[in-house]
Amino acid sequence: MDLRLLLIAALSAVLGGSWAQQEGSICIKANAQSCGECIQVAKSCGWCSDQEFLTVGESKSARCDDLDSLKKRSCTKIENPVGSISIDKDKPVTNRKKDSEKPDPGQITQIQPQKLTLTLRTGEPQTFKLKFKRAEDYPIDLYYLMDLSYSMNDDLENVKNLGTDLMLEMRKITSDFRIGFGSFVEKTVMPYISTTPARLINPCTGNQNCTSPFSYKNVLKLTNKGDEFNRLVSQQQISGNLDSPEGGFDAIMQVAVCEEQIGWRNVTRLLVFSTDAGFHFAGDGKLGGIVLPNDGKCHLENNMYTMSHYYDYPSIAHLVQKLSDHNIQTIFAVTEEFQPVYKELKNLIPKSAVGTLSANSSNVIKLIIDAYNSLSSEVILENGRLPEGVSITYKSICKNGVEGTGENGRKCSNISIGDEVSFEISVEFQKCPSHDKTETIKIKPLGFTEEVEVVLNFICDCQCAKDGENNSKQCDDGNGTFECGACKCNEGRIGRLCECSKDEVRTEDLDANCRKDNGTDICSNNGDCVCGSCECKKRENPAEVYSGKYCECDNFNCDRSGNKLCGGHGRCECRKCICDANYTGSACDCSLDTSYCLAKNGQICNGRGTCECGVCKCNNAKFQGPTCEICPTCPGVCAEHKTCVQCRAFNAGEKKDTCERDCSYFELIKVKSRDKLPQPTDQSFPLTHCKERDANDCWFYYTFAIRNDTKEVYVVETLECPAGPDIIPIVAGVVAGIVLIGLALLLIWKLLMIIHDRREFAKFEKEKMNAKWDTGENPIYKSAVTTVVNPKYEGK
């Protein structure tokens, strides 16, 4: 587990370093000539306004770098403006009960906050939280728009009592409910209707009494009187037209834009669109010679739409815009036959629903209640037009902590009355506008009149630029503005101090100032000669820089060790390594620390070598290892001291005759038995237990240890020799084995003979049974009597 965490940490560090380097390279590559240009590159870019920050050969754009790099380069004045959020209007959402005092609809708040000011910097998003809560007993305006073509004749009878019945049902949802009614048929031109005089009076055939055709009629302005709705609707008559699709889009447009005539309030606005047919849309007006696009304006005179013959049907996109602008939620109550068509239309119109209308509209109240509950249980945020370069993202935190991102971040579903949901909204911009003005965007939930006003301020220049000195003497006697520690050149001037004109032609004299001597390249081929001085090139990696008057130095071409610059133990200055303490060498790869050379006995290289650059160099080739402690060809401790222990303890062995001369280097101590030998657990010094065998195959045991520079040998004074063999049991065993083997062979021979005899006997018996002749009669005997039978004799 620890190893996994270590790997994750290392990977994070590498990725973090790579990202910082990449961001830093963005700042360097931008070649920013002023603080304002620098901070617009990325949020990680800063500008150093220290006057003495630049070294010889560095260009003015080197002041723009990532923040960590500027700090490492010891910049004390870093310009790095950051964005901010200011909440200007933060009225809390309304908490009220249905039975409490009814406030004015304009005093009810369902979204918080209401106004903010965001100060934005390029690439730095600002995120704020928006809260939404459905208020209980929120007022509702419902406008019932009905198709009065002949096919809706039976539906009209059921709608005539809709007012009071719907009013009773809606009272369960809100105490402030108003209802209105309008009807539509079709444009009053051919080929949509018959324009013969008789058909203009009564478009229906037979004995049906129908009213004259019309495009759209506002029958009843929104009112809280259900009986008035019933009275006016009961007076309505069916009309007729020729084609199957109806002109409902004309009617919807007028209902949406004629707010005053319809009587819309700034409350929940519902439009119920009831029909049993399809619809005409933009372009269909050409059939009647109408080519002018719908202007999206109100044209009601005496509650009648008067411009149906002049303007084409509105497009679906045009309707979507107007319905959204006027916060109208649409309920399409259509027959089952046209469900697929209106479901596709619903997908194009946000905050809309489709319900199946029975053949005679008997289920219209239930349809409206179900559709309203479906619409009100979902909140969808939308924003107005965004300024150029500005982007916005949403994240929803809905009921029970369910989160959504992307397009799902704009909406929350299954919201009940009193439920509170929130949205995290991030606003970001990538490019400063051409004008130095604030911008405003509006964010609102679809179908609601409330909205959030977001004022955008853009950070396009540094604060220090306001204190800049125009036509400063520090900038070549007035050829630039001295701001943020550097010269911002006037138009047509270049150079760190604006000392050159873009129109000046390069001369040999200016180029000569950029050569170290006559035999070298201009700026050592690592920079450009600008106005007689070198401006060094920038590297892809911002940590790698060229420097010097002639760009002759760099900090990345020093010697390497272990694929690391200066061995990772120093810094590179002008192509030479400046080593850290305790390191030396051209690549700082030689450590002066001898702690790595200490052997287990505390000696440097075990006393058998020298420590060079933190590594042991062994004097004798047979010793190996980092501290010269490994010797593959050396005998072990036991084998090394065996002959001396043997001669001193038992007066035997190879060194018996030279024992006093060769084996007096240790102190010998004899013990009675093996358990008397020193044990490792009782000692504070290295101890070796040995078991060796002499020429007589006898074993002897001893220990070897060095205590206080004295070598001690403890040896068991008696040898362990193997006992001789017992002859009698061996001989008896051999004889018994021979006898048993002989008996076994005899038994096997006897058994084989019995089996052979039985086989021979069985074979004899078988051959005896196969004999065919009669042993009682001589085969060569012939009788003397011959009997002849007369063939004619029949025995009578």
Side-chain angles (χ1 to χ4, degrees):
M1 187 65 182
D2 294 339
L3 180 59
R4 183 188 298 176
L5 293 175
L6 185 61
L7 289 173
I8 292 174
L11 182 59
S12 300
V14 171
L15 292 177
S18 299
W19 174 251
Q21 176 176 324
Q22 182 182 359
E23 287 290 319
S25 65
I26 292 175
C27 305
I28 291 290
K29 285 180 179 179
N31 198 29
Q33 298 298 309
S34 66
C35 186
E37 292 180 16
C38 178
I39 64 173
Q40 292 182 46
V41 176
K43 67 177 182 179
S44 62
C45 297
W47 177 270
C48 184
S49 58
D50 287 351
Q51 283 188 248
E52 306 301 327
F53 174 70
L54 298 180
T55 59
V56 176
E58 281 191 295
S59 65
K60 185 166 48 179
S61 60
R63 292 181 178 274
C64 183
D65 205 344
D66 67 282
L67 302 177
D68 291 337
S69 179
L70 290 176
K71 291 176 183 177
K72 290 178 181 178
R73 294 166 64 188
S74 303
C75 178
T76 58
K77 294 181 181 179
I78 300 177
E79 297 295 326
N80 179 38
V82 294
S84 62
I85 297 177
S86 172
I87 299 178
D88 305 322
K89 187 177 180 181
D90 194 28
K91 183 180 178 181
V93 292
T94 302
N95 292 307
R96 64 182 288 260
K97 299 297 182 182
K98 188 174 180 180
D99 299 330
S100 62
E101 183 180 353
K102 185 191 300 183
D104 183 79
Q107 298 176 348
I108 299 176
T109 303
Q110 298 183 108
I111 192 166
Q112 178 189 4
Q114 294 79 41
K115 185 177 181 181
L116 306 95
T117 299
L118 305 186
T119 303
L120 300 176
R121 179 181 167 184
T122 304
E124 181 185 25
Q126 294 297 324
T127 303
F128 62 92
K129 198 166 187 178
L130 187 148
K131 185 190 300 181
F132 178 85
K133 183 176 182 181
R134 276 187 63 194
E136 188 173 352
D137 196 25
Y138 194 72
I140 299 174
D141 285 353
L142 185 146
Y143 192 85
Y144 195 91
L145 182 60
M146 185 175 180
D147 177 8
L148 284 188
S149 60
Y150 185 76
S151 59
M152 294 287 285
N153 190 18
D154 55 345
D155 300 81
L156 182 59
E157 292 300 320
N158 285 303
V159 176
K160 288 180 179 180
N161 297 321
L162 177 65
T164 53
D165 295 342
L166 184 59
M167 191 74 71
L168 290 174
E169 289 296 326
M170 295 301 289
R171 293 285 186 194
K172 299 176 182 178
I173 299 174
T174 175
S175 60
D176 188 357
F177 175 71
R178 299 198 310 169
I179 188 171
F181 183 81
S183 59
F184 67 91
V185 180
E186 186 56 276
K187 289 184 180 296
T188 55
V189 295
M190 282 289 288
Y192 311 111
I193 66 168
S194 175
T195 55
T196 60
R199 294 300 182 196
L200 286 176
I201 297 173
N202 183 2
C204 300
T205 59
N207 296 325
Q208 297 292 333
N209 186 19
C210 298
T211 188
S212 299
F214 57 92
S215 177
Y216 162 66
K217 181 194 302 181
N218 178 28
V219 177
L220 175 65
K221 187 176 181 178
L222 289 165
T223 179
N224 56 4
K225 298 176 182 179
D227 53 353
E228 181 71 8
F229 180 94
N230 293 347
R231 185 182 67 82
L232 289 174
V233 173
S234 63
Q235 298 174 3
Q236 302 304 306
Q237 288 182 291
I238 291 295
S239 185
N241 62 314
L242 295 179
D243 61 342
S244 176
E246 314 295 359
F249 277 14
D250 273 342
I252 294 176
M253 177 63 75
Q254 294 304 301
V255 171
V257 299
C258 298
E259 289 194 350
E260 185 177 347
Q261 290 87 337
I262 302 299
W264 291 117
R265 298 177 296 171
N266 286 331
V267 297
T268 298
R269 299 176 176 181
L270 299 179
L271 170 60
V272 179
F273 183 83
S274 175
T275 185
D276 64 348
F279 49 82
H280 284 295
F281 53 89
D284 289 354
K286 291 181 180 179
L287 294 173
I290 303 172
V291 295
L292 285 178
N294 195 288
D295 63 351
K297 296 180 181 179
C298 182
H299 297 287
L300 289 184
E301 293 182 10
N302 297 323
N303 289 321
M304 295 289 289
Y305 179 40
T306 60
M307 302 297 287
S308 67
H309 64 287
Y310 190 75
Y311 288 117
D312 192 7
Y313 302 97
S315 67
I316 295 176
H318 199 181
L319 270 186
V320 170
Q321 177 192 347
K322 292 300 180 181
L323 290 172
S324 176
D325 291 345
H326 295 273
N327 306 304
I328 296 174
Q329 305 178 56
T330 311
I331 301 172
F332 295 104
V334 297
T335 55
E336 186 173 1
E337 178 185 357
F338 288 93
Q339 282 284 308
V341 175
Y342 282 90
K343 283 184 178 178
E344 290 296 326
L345 182 61
K346 167 190 171 294
N347 294 333
L348 300 174
I349 302 179
K351 217 55 172 146
S352 62
V354 177
T356 303
L357 189 67
S358 61
N360 58 2
S361 298
S362 58
N363 69 330
V364 67
I365 292 180
K366 182 178 185 303
L367 185 152
I368 292 173
I369 297 298
D370 291 345
Y372 170 74
N373 289 332
S374 174
L375 290 173
S376 61
S377 66
E378 183 177 54
V379 58
I380 303 175
L381 294 185
E382 70 165 359
N383 53 267
R385 184 192 64 83
L386 296 176
E388 184 182 359
V390 175
S391 61
I392 186 169
T393 57
Y394 295 85
K395 177 184 177 183
S396 59
I397 300 97
C398 304
K399 197 173 179 179
N400 300 323
V402 178
E403 296 185 355
T405 55
E407 282 303 310
N408 290 328
R410 290 176 174 266
K411 61 184 179 181
C412 281
S413 303
N414 301 321
I415 304 173
S416 304
I417 293 175
D419 286 345
E420 184 176 292
V421 296
S422 60
F423 298 85
E424 291 182 0
I425 303 174
S426 295
V427 182
E428 183 178 358
F429 89 106
Q430 299 296 337
K431 180 183 178 183
C432 278
S434 56
H435 57 81
D436 189 16
K437 296 180 181 178
T438 61
E439 295 277 2
T440 302
I441 58 176
K442 302 288 182 68
I443 301 174
K444 69 174 184 177
L446 283 174
F448 295 86
T449 58
E450 299 173 66
E451 61 185 14
V452 180
E453 181 180 354
V454 183
V455 180
L456 305 180
N457 293 322
F458 304 102
I459 301 176
C460 295
D461 211 340
C462 300
Q463 188 68 28
C464 59
K466 296 180 180 179
D467 302 325
E469 181 185 351
N470 294 326
N471 301 321
S472 173
K473 292 184 178 180
Q474 299 186 62
C475 302
D476 195 47
D477 291 332
N479 283 315
T481 301
F482 188 79
E483 62 178 41
C484 302
C487 286
K488 183 178 181 181
C489 297
N490 295 337
E491 186 69 26
R493 304 294 295 185
I494 57 174
R496 278 175 63 169
L497 300 177
C498 309
E499 65 271 27
C500 285
S501 171
K502 290 182 179 179
D503 298 330
E504 291 181 0
V505 182
R506 288 181 52 186
T507 64
E508 293 297 330
D509 292 337
L510 291 177
D511 288 348
N513 294 330
C514 297
R515 299 178 189 270
K516 191 173 184 179
D517 52 58
N518 291 334
T520 58
D521 294 326
I522 295 176
C523 298
S524 305
N525 204 27
N526 294 323
D528 299 317
C529 187
V530 180
C531 302
S533 60
C534 287
E535 287 192 1
C536 301
K537 294 179 182 178
K538 301 178 183 65
R539 300 275 296 177
E540 185 75 20
N541 184 350
E544 299 177 354
V545 295
Y546 292 108
S547 59
K549 182 178 179 180
Y550 305 103
C551 303
E552 73 278 12
C553 295
D554 62 60
N555 64 347
F556 54 88
N557 271 325
C558 292
D559 291 340
R560 294 175 178 266
S561 177
N563 203 28
K564 293 182 180 179
L565 191 67
C566 296
H569 303 299
R571 65 185 186 277
C572 181
E573 292 185 3
C574 205
R575 303 186 179 184
K576 289 186 179 180
C577 286
I578 307 299
C579 300
D580 298 337
N582 290 330
Y583 286 93
T584 186
S586 62
C588 300
D589 54 351
C590 183
S591 175
L592 302 178
D593 187 3
T594 60
S595 60
Y596 297 104
C597 297
L598 291 178
K600 294 179 180 179
N601 58 11
Q603 293 181 328
I604 292 178
C605 299
N606 198 28
R608 294 186 171 94
T610 58
C611 186
E612 297 180 7
C613 297
V615 179
C616 282
K617 301 292 184 182
C618 303
N619 296 332
N620 195 326
K622 70 178 182 178
F623 290 99
Q624 302 174 6
T627 54
C628 302
E629 292 182 275
I630 300 173
C631 182
T633 60
C634 295
V637 173
C638 296
E640 183 179 356
H641 303 293
K642 170 185 175 181
T643 53
C644 284
V645 171
Q646 191 177 7
C647 77
R648 290 189 58 184
F650 306 106
N651 195 25
E654 298 176 3
K655 294 186 178 181
K656 176 181 178 181
D657 299 330
T658 60
C659 194
E660 291 185 4
R661 184 188 69 191
D662 299 336
C663 300
S664 60
Y665 60 88
F666 60 83
E667 180 182 347
L668 183 68
I669 304 168
K670 294 185 178 182
V671 296
K672 295 292 185 181
S673 61
R674 289 169 58 184
D675 57 356
K676 300 296 183 181
L677 292 174
Q679 300 301 316
T681 56
D682 300 333
Q683 308 297 327
S684 58
F685 46 85
L687 178 69
T688 304
H689 277 255
C690 299
K691 176 184 178 182
E692 296 293 338
R693 185 164 56 181
D694 62 10
N696 297 321
D697 289 336
C698 293
W699 296 93
F700 60 96
Y701 301 87
Y702 66 94
T703 62
F704 180 84
I706 301 176
R707 178 163 50 181
N708 298 329
D709 296 331
T710 301
K711 298 177 181 178
E712 295 180 349
V713 174
Y714 284 78
V715 62
V716 178
E717 62 183 8
T718 58
L719 296 169
E720 285 189 7
C721 297
D726 193 349
I727 301 300
I728 294 176
I730 294 175
V731 173
V734 172
V735 172
I738 293 172
V739 172
L740 290 175
I741 291 172
L743 289 174
L745 292 174
L746 287 173
L747 288 173
I748 292 171
W749 177 82
K750 183 64 177 175
L751 180 61
L752 291 175
M753 290 296 102
I754 292 173
I755 293 172
H756 180 266
D757 291 345
R758 287 185 177 181
R759 286 180 176 175
E760 290 295 324
F761 182 74
K763 183 178 180 182
F764 170 75
E765 289 292 329
K766 183 177 180 181
E767 290 178 351
K768 181 179 178 182
M769 293 297 294
N770 290 336
K772 298 296 181 180
W773 60 88
D774 185 4
T775 55
E777 183 177 349
N778 189 350
I780 63 172
Y781 171 76
K782 186 175 182 181
S783 174
V785 179
T786 302
T787 302
V788 179
V789 179
N790 186 357
K792 295 291 185 176
Y793 177 70
E794 297 180 355
K796 294 182 180 181

PDB file of all heavy atoms in Angstrom, residues 138-154:
ATOM      1  N   TYR A 138     -48.134  29.646  -5.684  1.00  0.00           N
ATOM      2  CA  TYR A 138     -47.681  30.653  -6.650  1.00  0.00           C
ATOM      3  C   TYR A 138     -48.788  30.905  -7.673  1.00  0.00           C
ATOM      4  O   TYR A 138     -49.419  29.965  -8.167  1.00  0.00           O
ATOM      5  CB  TYR A 138     -46.413  30.168  -7.351  1.00  0.00           C
ATOM      6  CG  TYR A 138     -45.681  31.245  -8.107  1.00  0.00           C
ATOM      7  CD1 TYR A 138     -44.990  32.248  -7.422  1.00  0.00           C
ATOM      8  CD2 TYR A 138     -45.687  31.284  -9.498  1.00  0.00           C
ATOM      9  CE1 TYR A 138     -44.313  33.241  -8.107  1.00  0.00           C
ATOM     10  CE2 TYR A 138     -45.018  32.268 -10.188  1.00  0.00           C
ATOM     11  CZ  TYR A 138     -44.329  33.253  -9.485  1.00  0.00           C
ATOM     12  OH  TYR A 138     -43.672  34.244 -10.164  1.00  0.00           O
ATOM     13  N   PRO A 139     -49.077  32.171  -8.035  1.00  0.00           N
ATOM     14  CA  PRO A 139     -50.177  32.479  -8.957  1.00  0.00           C
ATOM     15  C   PRO A 139     -49.967  31.843 -10.329  1.00  0.00           C
ATOM     16  O   PRO A 139     -48.835  31.677 -10.799  1.00  0.00           O
ATOM     17  CB  PRO A 139     -50.152  34.009  -9.042  1.00  0.00           C
ATOM     18  CG  PRO A 139     -49.423  34.456  -7.823  1.00  0.00           C
ATOM     19  CD  PRO A 139     -48.424  33.386  -7.510  1.00  0.00           C
ATOM     20  N   ILE A 140     -51.090  31.514 -11.000  1.00  0.00           N
ATOM     21  CA  ILE A 140     -51.047  30.880 -12.310  1.00  0.00           C
ATOM     22  C   ILE A 140     -52.034  31.588 -13.233  1.00  0.00           C
ATOM     23  O   ILE A 140     -53.187  31.843 -12.867  1.00  0.00           O
ATOM     24  CB  ILE A 140     -51.405  29.383 -12.225  1.00  0.00           C
ATOM     25  CG1 ILE A 140     -50.407  28.629 -11.342  1.00  0.00           C
ATOM     26  CG2 ILE A 140     -51.457  28.753 -13.620  1.00  0.00           C
ATOM     27  CD1 ILE A 140     -50.776  27.184 -11.098  1.00  0.00           C
ATOM     28  N   ASP A 141     -51.572  31.902 -14.446  1.00  0.00           N
ATOM     29  CA  ASP A 141     -52.434  32.379 -15.528  1.00  0.00           C
ATOM     30  C   ASP A 141     -52.495  31.287 -16.586  1.00  0.00           C
ATOM     31  O   ASP A 141     -51.447  30.830 -17.071  1.00  0.00           O
ATOM     32  CB  ASP A 141     -51.891  33.666 -16.151  1.00  0.00           C
ATOM     33  CG  ASP A 141     -52.122  34.880 -15.270  1.00  0.00           C
ATOM     34  OD1 ASP A 141     -52.821  34.741 -14.241  1.00  0.00           O
ATOM     35  OD2 ASP A 141     -51.602  35.959 -15.604  1.00  0.00           O
ATOM     36  N   LEU A 142     -53.726  30.857 -16.970  1.00  0.00           N
ATOM     37  CA  LEU A 142     -53.890  29.796 -17.959  1.00  0.00           C
ATOM     38  C   LEU A 142     -54.768  30.308 -19.083  1.00  0.00           C
ATOM     39  O   LEU A 142     -55.899  30.774 -18.852  1.00  0.00           O
ATOM     40  CB  LEU A 142     -54.499  28.544 -17.328  1.00  0.00           C
ATOM     41  CG  LEU A 142     -54.611  27.315 -18.236  1.00  0.00           C
ATOM     42  CD1 LEU A 142     -54.408  26.039 -17.420  1.00  0.00           C
ATOM     43  CD2 LEU A 142     -55.962  27.239 -18.960  1.00  0.00           C
ATOM     44  N   TYR A 143     -54.260  30.216 -20.295  1.00  0.00           N
ATOM     45  CA  TYR A 143     -55.005  30.648 -21.473  1.00  0.00           C
ATOM     46  C   TYR A 143     -55.296  29.424 -22.321  1.00  0.00           C
ATOM     47  O   TYR A 143     -54.391  28.697 -22.734  1.00  0.00           O
ATOM     48  CB  TYR A 143     -54.195  31.668 -22.277  1.00  0.00           C
ATOM     49  CG  TYR A 143     -54.991  32.378 -23.350  1.00  0.00           C
ATOM     50  CD1 TYR A 143     -55.745  33.507 -23.040  1.00  0.00           C
ATOM     51  CD2 TYR A 143     -54.991  31.919 -24.662  1.00  0.00           C
ATOM     52  CE1 TYR A 143     -56.477  34.159 -24.026  1.00  0.00           C
ATOM     53  CE2 TYR A 143     -55.717  32.557 -25.647  1.00  0.00           C
ATOM     54  CZ  TYR A 143     -56.460  33.683 -25.324  1.00  0.00           C
ATOM     55  OH  TYR A 143     -57.189  34.327 -26.297  1.00  0.00           O
ATOM     56  N   TYR A 144     -56.590  29.186 -22.581  1.00  0.00           N
ATOM     57  CA  TYR A 144     -57.021  28.018 -23.345  1.00  0.00           C
ATOM     58  C   TYR A 144     -57.248  28.436 -24.792  1.00  0.00           C
ATOM     59  O   TYR A 144     -58.149  29.219 -25.101  1.00  0.00           O
ATOM     60  CB  TYR A 144     -58.307  27.442 -22.753  1.00  0.00           C
ATOM     61  CG  TYR A 144     -58.621  26.045 -23.242  1.00  0.00           C
ATOM     62  CD1 TYR A 144     -58.171  24.932 -22.551  1.00  0.00           C
ATOM     63  CD2 TYR A 144     -59.361  25.836 -24.394  1.00  0.00           C
ATOM     64  CE1 TYR A 144     -58.443  23.653 -22.983  1.00  0.00           C
ATOM     65  CE2 TYR A 144     -59.641  24.562 -24.850  1.00  0.00           C
ATOM     66  CZ  TYR A 144     -59.172  23.465 -24.140  1.00  0.00           C
ATOM     67  OH  TYR A 144     -59.438  22.198 -24.583  1.00  0.00           O
ATOM     68  N   LEU A 145     -56.387  27.926 -25.684  1.00  0.00           N
ATOM     69  CA  LEU A 145     -56.453  28.253 -27.111  1.00  0.00           C
ATOM     70  C   LEU A 145     -56.973  27.032 -27.855  1.00  0.00           C
ATOM     71  O   LEU A 145     -56.323  25.979 -27.885  1.00  0.00           O
ATOM     72  CB  LEU A 145     -55.068  28.653 -27.621  1.00  0.00           C
ATOM     73  CG  LEU A 145     -54.956  29.080 -29.089  1.00  0.00           C
ATOM     74  CD1 LEU A 145     -55.838  30.297 -29.367  1.00  0.00           C
ATOM     75  CD2 LEU A 145     -53.508  29.400 -29.426  1.00  0.00           C
ATOM     76  N   MET A 146     -58.174  27.180 -28.483  1.00  0.00           N
ATOM     77  CA  MET A 146     -58.868  26.009 -29.040  1.00  0.00           C
ATOM     78  C   MET A 146     -59.052  26.138 -30.545  1.00  0.00           C
ATOM     79  O   MET A 146     -59.339  27.214 -31.079  1.00  0.00           O
ATOM     80  CB  MET A 146     -60.229  25.859 -28.362  1.00  0.00           C
ATOM     81  CG  MET A 146     -60.992  24.610 -28.765  1.00  0.00           C
ATOM     82  SD  MET A 146     -62.505  24.429 -27.814  1.00  0.00           S
ATOM     83  CE  MET A 146     -63.140  22.906 -28.517  1.00  0.00           C
ATOM     84  N   ASP A 147     -58.883  25.009 -31.202  1.00  0.00           N
ATOM     85  CA  ASP A 147     -59.153  24.890 -32.632  1.00  0.00           C
ATOM     86  C   ASP A 147     -60.668  24.793 -32.828  1.00  0.00           C
ATOM     87  O   ASP A 147     -61.312  23.874 -32.294  1.00  0.00           O
ATOM     88  CB  ASP A 147     -58.444  23.636 -33.158  1.00  0.00           C
ATOM     89  CG  ASP A 147     -58.722  23.369 -34.629  1.00  0.00           C
ATOM     90  OD1 ASP A 147     -59.335  24.234 -35.269  1.00  0.00           O
ATOM     91  OD2 ASP A 147     -58.309  22.289 -35.109  1.00  0.00           O
ATOM     92  N   LEU A 148     -61.264  25.729 -33.561  1.00  0.00           N
ATOM     93  CA  LEU A 148     -62.706  25.714 -33.795  1.00  0.00           C
ATOM     94  C   LEU A 148     -63.047  25.315 -35.225  1.00  0.00           C
ATOM     95  O   LEU A 148     -64.082  25.728 -35.774  1.00  0.00           O
ATOM     96  CB  LEU A 148     -63.313  27.088 -33.471  1.00  0.00           C
ATOM     97  CG  LEU A 148     -63.467  27.414 -31.983  1.00  0.00           C
ATOM     98  CD1 LEU A 148     -64.250  28.694 -31.784  1.00  0.00           C
ATOM     99  CD2 LEU A 148     -64.138  26.273 -31.229  1.00  0.00           C
ATOM    100  N   SER A 149     -62.190  24.524 -35.852  1.00  0.00           N
ATOM    101  CA  SER A 149     -62.553  23.966 -37.152  1.00  0.00           C
ATOM    102  C   SER A 149     -63.650  22.925 -36.934  1.00  0.00           C
ATOM    103  O   SER A 149     -63.916  22.485 -35.799  1.00  0.00           O
ATOM    104  CB  SER A 149     -61.334  23.351 -37.840  1.00  0.00           C
ATOM    105  OG  SER A 149     -60.794  22.321 -37.034  1.00  0.00           O
ATOM    106  N   TYR A 150     -64.316  22.506 -38.016  1.00  0.00           N
ATOM    107  CA  TYR A 150     -65.534  21.696 -37.903  1.00  0.00           C
ATOM    108  C   TYR A 150     -65.294  20.371 -37.168  1.00  0.00           C
ATOM    109  O   TYR A 150     -66.175  19.876 -36.468  1.00  0.00           O
ATOM    110  CB  TYR A 150     -66.104  21.428 -39.303  1.00  0.00           C
ATOM    111  CG  TYR A 150     -67.424  20.708 -39.267  1.00  0.00           C
ATOM    112  CD1 TYR A 150     -68.598  21.387 -38.924  1.00  0.00           C
ATOM    113  CD2 TYR A 150     -67.507  19.336 -39.552  1.00  0.00           C
ATOM    114  CE1 TYR A 150     -69.811  20.729 -38.867  1.00  0.00           C
ATOM    115  CE2 TYR A 150     -68.716  18.673 -39.495  1.00  0.00           C
ATOM    116  CZ  TYR A 150     -69.865  19.367 -39.158  1.00  0.00           C
ATOM    117  OH  TYR A 150     -71.070  18.697 -39.088  1.00  0.00           O
ATOM    118  N   SER A 151     -64.111  19.823 -37.291  1.00  0.00           N
ATOM    119  CA  SER A 151     -63.835  18.529 -36.659  1.00  0.00           C
ATOM    120  C   SER A 151     -63.838  18.603 -35.138  1.00  0.00           C
ATOM    121  O   SER A 151     -63.876  17.588 -34.458  1.00  0.00           O
ATOM    122  CB  SER A 151     -62.488  17.983 -37.147  1.00  0.00           C
ATOM    123  OG  SER A 151     -61.449  18.889 -36.841  1.00  0.00           O
ATOM    124  N   MET A 152     -63.788  19.812 -34.564  1.00  0.00           N
ATOM    125  CA  MET A 152     -63.771  19.983 -33.105  1.00  0.00           C
ATOM    126  C   MET A 152     -65.168  20.287 -32.567  1.00  0.00           C
ATOM    127  O   MET A 152     -65.311  20.791 -31.450  1.00  0.00           O
ATOM    128  CB  MET A 152     -62.810  21.112 -32.736  1.00  0.00           C
ATOM    129  CG  MET A 152     -61.356  20.835 -33.045  1.00  0.00           C
ATOM    130  SD  MET A 152     -60.623  19.639 -31.912  1.00  0.00           S
ATOM    131  CE  MET A 152     -60.439  20.647 -30.452  1.00  0.00           C
ATOM    132  N   ASN A 153     -66.220  19.983 -33.321  1.00  0.00           N
ATOM    133  CA  ASN A 153     -67.584  20.320 -32.925  1.00  0.00           C
ATOM    134  C   ASN A 153     -67.961  19.674 -31.598  1.00  0.00           C
ATOM    135  O   ASN A 153     -68.481  20.326 -30.686  1.00  0.00           O
ATOM    136  CB  ASN A 153     -68.558  19.896 -34.035  1.00  0.00           C
ATOM    137  CG  ASN A 153     -69.956  20.427 -33.793  1.00  0.00           C
ATOM    138  OD1 ASN A 153     -70.142  21.356 -33.013  1.00  0.00           O
ATOM    139  ND2 ASN A 153     -70.951  19.852 -34.469  1.00  0.00           N
ATOM    140  N   ASP A 154     -67.730  18.365 -31.479  1.00  0.00           N
ATOM    141  CA  ASP A 154     -68.096  17.677 -30.243  1.00  0.00           C
ATOM    142  C   ASP A 154     -67.223  18.110 -29.071  1.00  0.00           C
ATOM    143  O   ASP A 154     -67.632  18.077 -27.911  1.00  0.00           O
ATOM    144  CB  ASP A 154     -68.024  16.167 -30.432  1.00  0.00           C
ATOM    145  CG  ASP A 154     -66.666  15.723 -30.931  1.00  0.00           C
ATOM    146  OD1 ASP A 154     -65.890  16.594 -31.403  1.00  0.00           O
ATOM    147  OD2 ASP A 154     -66.346  14.516 -30.857  1.00  0.00           O
TER     148      ASP A 154
END
